[in-house]
Amino acid sequence: VDPIWITYDFNTEEFLDPISPTFQVPTWLNTHNRRIHHTWCIRVLNSEVPDILKPSYYYSGLSLTQMLYERVWCADKLANEAPLLAMTKRLLIADGNLEQMIGDPRHTNIFFKAINYFRDNFSIFVKKPSMNVTQLDTSLADLAPLTSYQYQLVSAIAQIPVTKLFKNVPTGLQSTGEYEWDDYAQTIRDIQVRDYTPLLRKHFEIYCASFYPERKDLKLDVEW
């Protein structure tokens, strides 16, 4: 059930006593004609928020999507800028009469459109013998590492190696990707033990009590 369809009720202790272990944890979760006590729920939070913000986050935490969206937007924005920068990397500087250009903007616009039309790798730029023309090139050497670094920030927030998230080949003379994979596996194991083992254990306890009420000697263990 999505959190926006749930309302919350608190006991006095859980709402006012910051020393309570269930402080700012809703006592009751209300859905359509149902009240569910918080002891029947297992809270899995991605990232805690300060107490003053918890009502705005449905007494939960920051979602991974919310943490990622700005980094993803910046990385995609930079990647989209790359082809535009590659096509406009050359700046042409030529002598001209600024007063005449300002005085006749219509003719100036036609003149610049003609220059842009003919000025590519297959055309020739014609100038007067007395005119000085200079071309400035923007270096694209750091563009690829910069774009890659933005996506590395995305993978850092997601806690997934960039070699796995974006299917990149490990770079560097000594890089095999083994360390990154081991670190990712450790992160996954922590999530399994901290968040999902209690969830599965509670589920199987209820399952066994429902389907095997006569068996009191059942022991549960979760193995990933």
Side-chain angles (χ1 to χ4, degrees), residues 179-192 194:
Y179 168 78
E180 291 81 0
W181 179 259
D182 290 342
D183 181 70
Y184 174 60
Q186 180 179 352
T187 301
I188 295 300
R189 286 194 295 267
D190 291 341
I191 294 175
Q192 291 171 347
R194 182 182 67 249

Side-chain angles (χ1 to χ4, degrees), residues 42-147:
I42 294 178
R43 292 165 57 83
V44 179
L45 301 181
N46 179 65
S47 180
E48 290 274 5
V49 296
D51 290 341
I52 195 173
L53 295 178
K54 286 184 178 179
S56 301
Y57 286 87
Y58 303 101
Y59 300 96
S60 183
L62 283 169
S63 67
L64 188 60
T65 304
Q66 190 172 2
M67 297 172 63
L68 278 174
Y69 86 97
E70 185 175 4
R71 287 295 100 212
V72 173
W73 183 88
C74 290
D76 285 349
K77 182 70 173 177
L78 184 58
N80 292 334
E81 287 287 335
L84 299 178
L85 183 59
M87 291 185 292
T88 59
K89 64 185 292 289
R90 296 180 180 90
L91 175 63
L92 193 66
I93 303 175
D95 295 340
N97 191 320
L98 293 180
E99 294 181 354
Q100 290 183 0
M101 295 171 61
I102 296 174
D104 191 358
R106 179 176 174 275
H107 181 269
T108 302
N109 290 333
I110 295 175
F111 175 70
F112 280 121
K113 286 181 179 180
I115 290 180
N116 291 331
Y117 177 78
F118 287 108
R119 183 176 172 265
D120 57 25
N121 294 331
F122 306 100
S123 299
I124 298 174
F125 181 78
V126 180
K127 72 178 188 68
K128 293 180 180 180
S130 60
M131 180 184 297
N132 293 322
V133 177
T134 305
Q135 179 172 285
L136 301 179
D137 283 4
T138 302
S139 175
L140 303 180
D142 297 329
L143 184 59
L146 180 61
T147 304

